[in-house]
Every structure is written in structure tokens, then in C-alpha cells.
Amino acid sequence: MSVLKLKLDQEQLVEDFFEDTWLAGIMSPARDYQLCWQINQQLGYDLRVNNLLEIKLTKNRRSFYFTVFEYLEPTKSAAHYLYNNHCKAEFLLPELKHVDYIWLIKGNYYQAADVKNLVEQCRKAGLVQLVTLLDMKDIKNKINLIF
């Protein structure tokens, strides 16, 4: 009897997950919950930690857990995810070691001008040092962002 093996098409998975998304990198010395509180105050959001979305990476037989905060905009069919980019000297996206947090905006509501406005508003939060839009082509480890 032959065994049928199914292989997950990771390229298609990444393409589907990142359809209608925007990515921004945030630099901040603050703890994740402090940063989220300030972003919530500045943008009127309700970012909250979602333990079900926590990302686990295993390297050299050690496990690293990266928290993910989530806010679903009820009237805009958009979701906001704030990923912690580092955990115990490991990085979720090693190619972005200078970035402390990754902000993913998912949904087709936001256009380029809207995202630029959100980034500008986020920059005004007291604990935010820098916010920059990221080019998806520059990110090699996109699969790490998929929950």
C-alpha cells in the first residue's frame, strides 16, 4: 500500500497570507504592553495580547516565544497585529534586527495614503522612536509572521 504524502506549498501560503497587507517596523525601548497602551491611546485602538497567535520558533533545541497583539477594526474589515521582534536575543525577523516591533495591517480597507497617515499618527506616541514602512520584498523570513 502506498502512502500519499501531501506537501504544504509555503510560497502559496505566504502569498495568500500577505495579500492586502502593509508592514511597518517600530523602534521603541518600551515593553510591548507599554507600547501597545500608548498606540491605543494615540490611535484609538484596542490592541490586546492574543496568546493563541503567539509564535514559537525553535533554534538549537531552544524555544522562543514571540507575543502578538491584535486589534480587529469592526467597521473597516481590517486587522492590526503587533509582533514582538525579539525574545532572549533571538529575532522573529533576523534581517530586521534594528526593529523592535513589526506592525502588520491586514485587509483591503487601507490604501497607501491611509497607511502613511497611520504611521504619522503612531510616530506621535511618546514611547515610539521611529516608525517606517517596510517593503515586503526585503523580508526573507515572511513565514515567521504567519500564525
Side-chain angles (χ1 to χ4, degrees), residues 13-22 105-108 136:
L13 177 69
V14 167
E15 186 178 314
D16 290 346
F17 183 84
F18 288 102
E19 185 177 351
D20 294 325
T21 60
W22 297 89
I105 303 167
K106 194 167 179 49
N108 60 7
M136 212 63 87

Side-chain angles (χ1 to χ4, degrees), residues 135-147:
D135 190 341
M136 212 63 87
K137 292 177 228 138
D138 297 335
I139 299 173
K140 298 177 188 103
N141 296 290
K142 291 182 199 117
I143 194 81
N144 291 354
L145 296 176
I146 298 176
F147 33 79

Side-chain angles (χ1 to χ4, degrees), residues 65-90:
Y65 297 90
F66 298 88
T67 54
V68 179
F69 289 75
E70 175 183 46
Y71 170 59
L72 305 173
E73 284 191 85
T75 59
K76 297 180 181 172
S77 297
H80 300 265
Y81 301 97
L82 189 78
Y83 299 79
N84 210 326
N85 192 37
H86 50 78
C87 173
K88 299 178 186 172
E90 282 298 327

Side-chain angles (χ1 to χ4, degrees), residues 81-137:
Y81 301 97
L82 189 78
Y83 299 79
N84 210 326
N85 192 37
H86 50 78
C87 173
K88 299 178 186 172
E90 282 298 327
F91 294 90
L92 184 62
L93 296 179
E95 62 272 24
L96 296 174
K97 290 181 180 177
H98 61 285
V99 171
D100 300 305
Y101 301 95
I102 294 119
W103 178 14
L104 178 113
I105 303 167
K106 194 167 179 49
N108 60 7
Y109 176 82
Y110 288 104
Q111 302 303 312
D114 302 316
V115 173
K116 283 181 92 173
N117 185 38
L118 282 177
V119 165
E120 288 301 318
Q121 290 300 312
C122 185
R123 280 189 183 124
K124 295 176 183 175
L127 293 173
V128 173
Q129 293 176 333
L130 175 77
V131 183
T132 184
L133 286 173
L134 303 172
D135 190 341
M136 212 63 87
K137 292 177 228 138

